[in-house]
Amino acid sequence: MPDNFKCILKGKVVIVGIGNALRADDGLGPVLVGRLRGGVSAVCIDAGSSPENYAGTIIREAPETILLVDAVHLDREAGAWDVLKDSEIFKSGFTTHDLSPKLFIEYLQANTKAHIYLLGVQPKNLEFGEEISEEVRRTIEVLKQNLKEALTCTNPT
């Protein structure tokens, strides 16, 4: 799958980790972004559970590609992941967050020329106070390696 990342992560890339670290697997976006920061040629933003608060920051970066990372109900086994684009994002069970993902993505589309993708990972557990499940923890490591391969010295920061 690293080749697939290389195909979509073009130009200036902004990776946005979305999720609540207090809700087990929902925290995977911020955890992955934290592990990538400084190790890839992309802007890495931990947007927590309110990505709309970072819309201005994302837009000011003038990205060519935006990769949103979040827990998504894909109706698959825990830790399974997929990269969704455009209408696929809106069909997914995208969010446990405050603002409609559709509004957030439409706002980014209207204010950037970026290609927007969602890297969704199937959560196992979204309970408050729990740690990230072993399945999702393994997926985070796989995704970290794949993204590092795709983004090492290939895109400006």
Side-chain angles (χ1 to χ4, degrees):
M1 200 69 170
D3 289 338
N4 288 359
F5 283 125
K6 286 180 185 177
C7 290
I8 64 169
L9 300 177
K10 301 204 184 266
K12 184 171 189 179
V13 176
V14 173
I15 303 174
V16 182
I18 302 171
N20 184 338
L22 299 176
R23 292 189 62 198
D25 293 342
D26 192 47
L28 76 95
V31 168
L32 180 57
V33 164
R35 292 184 184 173
L36 291 171
R37 188 176 287 122
V40 295
S41 53
V43 175
C44 296
I45 298 171
D46 175 354
S49 58
S50 299
E52 64 275 11
N53 292 341
Y54 294 86
T57 302
I58 296 165
I59 291 165
R60 280 190 295 279
E61 290 292 338
E64 293 174 54
T65 306
I66 299 170
L67 181 66
L68 307 171
V69 183
D70 197 5
V72 176
H73 295 290
L74 300 170
D75 293 324
R76 294 171 55 193
E77 70 278 357
W81 60 277
D82 204 352
V83 178
L84 308 174
K85 185 176 191 284
D86 298 329
S87 61
E88 294 175 318
I89 296 171
F90 304 131
K91 291 177 188 173
S92 72
F94 176 57
T95 188
T96 58
H97 311 293
D98 299 334
L99 181 72
S100 161
K102 186 173 195 274
L103 291 175
F104 177 61
I105 292 167
E106 286 174 347
Y107 184 77
L108 292 176
Q109 288 172 330
N111 290 281
T112 71
K113 295 179 180 171
H115 296 281
I116 301 173
Y117 300 92
L118 170 64
L119 172 54
V121 178
Q122 175 67 48
K124 179 177 184 178
N125 181 7
L126 297 173
E127 296 297 317
F128 275 102
E130 299 292 322
E131 292 188 18
I132 292 176
S133 68
E134 185 58 36
E135 294 89 338
V136 171
R137 204 174 295 132
R138 282 192 300 265
T139 298
I140 289 170
E141 287 306 309
V142 167
L143 292 172
K144 179 183 87 171
Q145 288 307 117
N146 289 349
L147 287 164
K148 278 188 171 189
E149 285 179 38
L151 289 167
T152 302
C153 300
T154 59
N155 295 303
T157 54

